Amino acid sequence: MLSFLRCGRARAALYGPLGMSEAVARETPIRLWVPANGIRAGGIVLRFPSAEDVDAILPAFTDPDLREAGNLPAFDREGLLASIDELPALAERGRLLALAAVETESGEVVGGGTLHHLDPERKIVEIGYFVLPRARRRGFATTIARLLGEHAFTLGIERVAAYVNVGNTASERVAERAGFTREGVVRSMPKPDGRRVDKTLFSLLPTD
């Protein structure tokens, strides 16, 4: 018994009252955040949108085709403007990190990206991305998707998932070019408008 107690005291001195894995998990809780100046790569910076970005981003939330492809909620200008003020709090709670994608050279808003549905215990998060029509065919979508994935890994995430509507081949190509692996079709996934559709699941791991 004395030997066991001594062993226990030595273990506690090294790791504290918790087991090592539990202690590590509590030392570094995962949260969604970006630096004040955003994250950047490939001529793109991802940062929190501002009120000045609303008119540039608005078509993605008002055009039915763009909204459908990007799995985006419906917003009018007033609703989108109001939602911007809530974004830092949503990120802090782990609900949603919604970012505008801005071309660094021109300062033009070209699209956006999100980290959402964070599962901190399993270290999993989902991504979303969209590019506005005027900025397509310039590689921005691939850059956004890869940048989101790599940023997620810096937060402590071990698996990044992307769900693409079945039939959206353009978005599937984006995920594949960004290094994601196709895993298969997941049935009856929810959309922001309440409908349920089948989606193709892609994943990115730190080793990819």
Side-chain angles (χ1 to χ4, degrees), residues 4-5 11 22 66 123 131 139 142 151 153 157:
F4 176 80
L5 290 174
R11 185 172 182 272
E22 293 176 290
L66 296 180
K123 299 184 179 181
V131 172
T142 301
H151 179 62
F153 298 143
I157 294 295

Side-chain angles (χ1 to χ4, degrees), residues 18 20-29:
L18 300 174
M20 182 170 64
S21 61
E22 293 176 290
V24 170
R26 291 197 180 183
E27 284 172 7
T28 55

Side-chain angles (χ1 to χ4, degrees), residues 82-104:
S83 73
I84 284 177
D85 293 335
E86 301 174 4
L87 294 181
L90 288 173
E92 184 67 28
R93 295 200 299 268
R95 296 284 303 280
L96 173 70
L97 179 64
L99 305 170
V102 180
E103 186 182 21
T104 53

Side-chain angles (χ1 to χ4, degrees), residues 1-206:
M1 176 65 77
L2 182 60
S3 176
F4 176 80
L5 290 174
R6 284 174 177 165
C7 182
R9 291 192 188 104
R11 185 172 182 272
L14 285 173
Y15 303 131
L18 300 174
M20 182 170 64
S21 61
E22 293 176 290
V24 170
R26 291 197 180 183
E27 284 172 7
T28 55
I30 295 174
R31 63 188 186 93
L32 300 180
W33 70 280
V34 290
N37 62 347
I39 53 175
R40 60 188 67 217
I44 289 289
V45 58
L46 294 178
R47 56 161 175 76
F48 278 118
S50 67
E52 288 73 26
D53 300 321
V54 165
D55 289 328
I57 299 173
L58 187 59
F61 296 87
T62 56
D63 183 291
D65 292 335
L66 296 180
R67 198 168 61 237
E68 176 74 14
N71 289 303
L72 298 170
F75 278 124
D76 58 17
R77 189 179 190 281
E78 289 71 25
L80 185 57
L81 190 61
S83 73
I84 284 177
D85 293 335
E86 301 174 4
L87 294 181
L90 288 173
E92 184 67 28
R93 295 200 299 268
R95 296 284 303 280
L96 173 70
L97 179 64
L99 305 170
V102 180
E103 186 182 21
T104 53
E105 184 175 344
S106 67
E108 175 189 14
V109 176
V110 296
T114 61
L115 294 178
H116 58 97
H117 286 90
L118 171 66
D119 182 340
E121 292 185 1
R122 296 191 295 168
K123 299 184 179 181
I124 299 171
V125 76
E126 298 177 27
I127 71 163
Y129 47 84
F130 70 91
V131 172
L132 297 165
R134 64 177 181 275
R136 289 178 181 168
R137 302 186 184 280
R138 295 161 64 184
F140 291 143
T142 301
T143 300
I144 293 168
R146 186 71 196 195
L147 185 54
L148 285 170
E150 292 180 353
H151 179 62
F153 298 143
T154 71
L155 304 179
I157 294 295
E158 296 290 342
R159 172 182 167 87
V160 180
Y163 290 90
V164 179
N165 296 346
V166 168
N168 188 346
T169 55
S171 188
E172 290 180 351
R173 293 192 193 103
V174 167
E176 289 169 341
R177 285 196 298 265
F180 285 70
T181 296
R182 181 192 299 259
E183 294 191 351
V185 173
V186 182
R187 298 185 300 165
S188 189
M189 292 291 289
K191 290 179 67 66
D193 61 8
R195 290 178 297 136
R196 305 190 74 89
V197 299
D198 295 346
K199 298 187 180 186
T200 304
L201 172 60
F202 293 81
S203 68
L204 185 71
L205 306 181

